[in-house]
Amino acid sequence: MVENLAKDLQAEFPNISGFSATNLWYMSQFYMEYQGNEILQPLVGEISWTKHILIMSKCKDIPERQFYIIATKKIRLDQESAYSSN
């Protein structure tokens, strides 16, 4: 079923990537695990989709995910600060 949905979405939106069956499974998992979560939900926009997928696949509990999302955001901000001061 997901494979058929992926093919339909790819046909409907040929110029947009990201509708593979694997990504659709990730989207479903992301929704199920983050929706309504008062700790993680406010952090969703802080890091990229790719980083969320990596953290979600490696960290199974909420405090660990929260730690890595915040750490990833801090590293990005530190790097941006270093680049802007040059």
Side-chain angles (χ1 to χ4, degrees):
M1 182 169 159
V2 173
E3 289 76 15
N4 290 338
L5 177 59
K7 289 176 186 175
D8 290 346
L9 288 169
Q10 291 166 357
E12 185 71 26
F13 304 102
N15 297 324
I16 300 175
S17 63
F19 292 120
S20 67
T22 301
N23 261 357
L24 293 179
W25 283 115
Y26 283 141
M27 290 175 202
S28 174
Q29 180 185 4
F30 182 84
Y31 174 78
M32 297 299 290
E33 295 189 24
Y34 282 61
Q35 66 95 14
N37 186 305
E38 294 176 6
I39 294 171
L40 296 177
Q41 197 170 29
L43 301 172
V44 167
E46 302 295 332
I47 62 174
S48 71
W49 168 251
T50 303
K51 289 181 176 68
H52 274 294
I53 296 303
L54 182 62
I55 290 169
M56 194 169 55
S57 68
K58 301 286 184 186
C59 305
K60 297 305 176 193
D61 64 23
I62 292 170
E64 188 178 19
R65 286 182 185 172
Q66 180 185 24
F67 172 82
Y68 281 105
I69 291 170
I70 292 169
T72 300
K73 177 187 174 189
K74 181 177 178 353
I75 290 168
R76 188 193 75 219
L77 292 175
D78 289 349
Q79 289 172 342
E80 289 174 0
S81 176
Y83 291 133
S84 66
S85 65
N86 289 336

